[in-house]
Amino acid sequence: MLVRTLLRMPELRLRSVVGEEWLDRPLTRLYGTELPNPARYLSGGELVLSGLLWHRSAADCETFVTALADAGVAALAAARAPGARELPEALVDACRRHAVPLLEVPVDLSFAAITERVVLELAAERVGDAGTQLGRHRRLLTVVAEGGGLDELIAAGAAELGAACWVLSTTGHVVAGPELPDAAFLAGEFLRADRLPRVVRRTTLLPVSERGGSRLATWVLAVAGDRAQDEVAAELASLVGVERNRVVQGRRIGNRAAGPLLREVLSGSGDLAARIAAVGWASDAPLRVLVASASDGRVEQVAALLEEVLAPVAPLALVGTVDAEAFAVAPSGAGWAEAVRTALRTVEPGLGSTRVLVGISSAVVATALRGAAEEASHARRLGERRPGRTCVVVGEEIALHQLLLAGVPEELRASLRRRVLGPVLDYDAEHGSDLVHTLRVFLDCSGSWTTTAARLHVHVNTLRYRVGRVEELLGVELSDFTSRVDLYLALQAG
């Protein structure tokens, strides 16, 4: 109901004194007062009724109207004092300066009559709104009940809201709706939000549902405009949640094959080719294995996150858990690994202090899946040494010596490093030198004296002295290829 509507009620005979340009303000309730300062009782949107019994001076008008303006009332309806020919000039001026619409109430019209008429009008509007809301609810619910699918539901929701709608995953993937360039940014803002819904870049973000109490593997309903208090948007979000549950249940049914397949892959037993054929993949199809872990050990959450990460690039992926790691087997595809890396970077705002590490094998055929699983596990372990809240290491990116070292237990690597480099490590510790660094650079430069000296910013003769000291301490000759290999691997093991 608008303030202007009051002037169209002939039985009220209200007259606009100030604020013709502000008559389109919404009016939500009435409040009658004779308090000099009613600020504590106002919340905004009121039609304030007053007989001006508080009025004694111009200062009183300023105090009273300031309180109305600060609260955001819809309008003030005032009656002249008995015997007065017009409303106080100070009141008129204050309402004009503070942009408060001022209506004059006829002296023979009771406030009770105004209250009764306005309450009936507001009640009628609310009934109409409820009917409209129920109609919208029924139309949206019909789409879900008839199995229209997520795309049809979002299209129907956009029509009801009169605004564009999208469903996003927290990985920045648009699950349903038109193209959205800001999808990854909005997903990150959703994960950062202290409270939801949240309005970002004139787009409202509403949670669809949460899996295991976490936002990481949920969906987001994004609606153009400020819809934080819109009941239709909230209803649409809940119905999108119903559709998401269907998707999740479908994934779980599909992943029933993941457990047996992963057990056979990791144990090396069983007929992998037959198992792959049962899944529906071609025996010669290139496959990859993913291994993921979280520093907090929440493997089920990591598995749910993997499902969302892989959904747009490998919808046929089988995801399961073994001990403290999540595994996935999926057909390989172009740009696959980089898409996983980008998706995980998007969810970083929601990880808190948790690190998520992912290793991805090279592409192999079904009969080589066991080796691929080991390669992916080694790749994941290599990620432990790299920085970042998330880290994805792909088999093709790993040098052979790194892959071999990744399979060696940490204690054994330390022991081998100590056995090979011990005398040089002790010499550096005792003399404050850095012969280990000199050796590392020398080997990285393939034993080139001039290149190594330039990189270390020393004279070649100084470099020759340092290398000679290393050879003396270790009892080796760096011109020998085998010795170089042993030393290089020992350096990489640290």
Side-chain angles (χ1 to χ4, degrees):
M1 178 178 179
L2 304 179
V3 175
R4 187 182 304 281
T5 306
L6 298 171
L7 301 177
R8 296 171 180 166
M9 298 177 179
E11 66 274 29
L12 298 185
R13 295 175 285 123
L14 299 177
R15 181 175 71 89
S16 174
V17 178
V18 171
E20 286 286 342
E21 65 272 36
W22 306 318
L23 295 180
D24 288 328
R25 291 181 179 177
L27 187 160
T28 57
R29 68 189 188 99
L30 289 91
Y31 175 66
T33 184
E34 298 301 337
L35 293 173
N37 187 345
R40 63 183 296 185
Y41 302 105
L42 300 172
S43 58
E46 297 93 345
L47 171 65
V48 177
L49 304 173
S50 180
L52 308 184
L53 300 181
W54 47 264
H55 176 247
R56 295 291 184 272
S57 66
D60 293 338
C61 294
E62 180 66 22
T63 300
F64 187 83
V65 175
T66 298
L68 304 191
D70 289 345
V73 304
L76 168 62
R80 299 196 306 269
R85 301 182 60 181
E86 56 186 19
L87 294 174
E89 184 177 351
L91 178 66
V92 175
D93 289 342
C95 287
R96 184 175 291 111
R97 282 186 289 103
H98 290 285
V100 175
L102 175 59
L103 309 179
E104 184 177 358
V105 180
V107 294
D108 61 342
L109 181 67
S110 70
F111 285 170
I114 298 175
T115 300
E116 181 180 356
R117 182 65 180 87
V118 172
V119 167
L120 288 173
E121 185 71 21
L122 290 174
E125 282 192 355
R126 286 169 184 152
V127 170
D129 290 343
T132 301
Q133 183 75 14
L134 182 60
R136 288 172 171 171
H137 173 78
R138 285 175 174 169
R139 286 191 290 273
L140 293 175
L141 193 58
T142 298
V143 174
V144 176
E146 294 181 351
L150 190 58
D151 288 327
E152 188 173 334
L153 176 61
I154 288 301
E160 295 295 344
L161 289 164
C165 299
W166 303 266
V167 175
L168 314 176
S169 73
T170 49
T171 62
H173 168 58
V174 178
V175 181
E179 183 179 352
L180 183 61
D182 289 343
F185 170 80
L186 293 175
E189 290 301 300
F190 172 83
L191 290 171
R192 291 186 184 93
D194 293 329
R195 294 183 179 182
L196 296 169
R198 183 180 180 187
V199 181
V200 179
R201 291 186 179 177
R202 299 185 296 279
T203 302
T204 303
L205 306 177
L206 301 97
V208 168
S209 63
E210 296 186 3
R211 182 171 179 173
S214 171
R215 294 184 194 176
L216 276 180
T218 188
W219 286 353
V220 187
L221 175 64
V223 183
D226 186 348
R227 306 285 175 160
Q229 305 300 323
D230 195 311
E231 294 183 4
V232 178
E235 177 68 17
L236 179 59
S238 67
L239 293 176
V240 171
V242 173
E243 290 297 322
R244 182 178 182 278
N245 287 337
R246 290 180 178 176
V247 172
V248 171
Q249 290 301 321
R251 288 175 181 169
R252 289 176 179 171
I253 293 172
N255 281 333
R256 287 176 182 171
L261 175 61
L262 289 172
R263 283 192 292 272
E264 292 188 7
V265 166
L266 296 176
S267 66
S269 62
D271 187 349
L272 284 178
R275 183 70 68 180
I276 292 298
V279 173
W281 296 336
S283 59
D284 58 348
L287 303 172
R288 289 183 187 264
V289 178
L290 280 83
V291 180
S293 66
S295 58
D296 59 9
R298 290 188 287 179
V299 64
E300 291 297 334
Q301 181 174 314
V302 174
L305 180 59
L306 265 189
E307 290 177 357
E308 293 297 339
V309 167
L310 293 174
V313 293
L316 299 179
L318 298 180
V319 181
T321 61
V322 177
D323 297 328
E325 293 180 318
F327 286 79
V329 179
S332 181
W336 202 80
E338 187 55 37
V340 171
R341 187 175 281 119
T342 300
L344 286 176
R345 280 199 296 263
T346 301
V347 303
E348 285 185 3
L351 290 176
S353 60
T354 303
R355 288 195 78 205
V356 174
L357 307 176
V358 176
I360 304 178
S361 74
S362 307
V364 299
V365 294
T367 54
L369 277 177
R370 176 171 172 76
E374 293 180 351
E375 181 184 20
S377 293
H378 296 332
R380 186 204 61 77
R381 285 196 290 273
L382 282 174
E384 295 174 357
R385 306 182 186 181
R386 300 186 181 183
R389 187 62 48 77
T390 61
C391 183
V392 177
V393 181
V394 184
E396 290 92 338
E397 301 172 354
I398 307 172
L400 180 59
H401 72 275
Q402 291 178 313
L403 188 59
L404 294 174
L405 285 172
V408 178
E410 184 69 34
E411 297 81 2
L412 182 55
R413 288 202 303 270
S415 175
L416 292 173
R417 175 182 170 84
R418 180 71 195 171
R419 189 184 75 185
V420 176
L421 297 173
V424 175
L425 294 171
D426 292 340
Y427 184 91
D428 282 346
E430 182 178 351
H431 296 86
S433 57
D434 199 2
L435 292 181
V436 169
H437 178 63
T438 298
L439 175 61
R440 187 187 301 275
V441 175
F442 183 72
L443 295 177
D444 285 343
C445 294
S446 302
S448 170
W449 296 101
T450 54
T451 303
T452 305
R455 186 172 296 180
L456 292 174
H457 305 291
V458 299
H459 194 275
V460 172
N461 289 340
T462 301
L463 174 62
R464 290 185 183 277
Y465 170 78
R466 292 181 182 177
V467 171
R469 194 79 184 98
V470 169
E471 291 178 323
E472 180 183 343
L473 289 167
L474 299 181
V476 300
E477 292 185 7
L478 289 178
S479 59
D480 179 66
F481 177 75
T482 302
S483 297
R484 286 191 183 185
V485 171
D486 287 345
L487 292 171
Y488 183 79
L489 290 175
L491 289 168
Q492 295 297 317

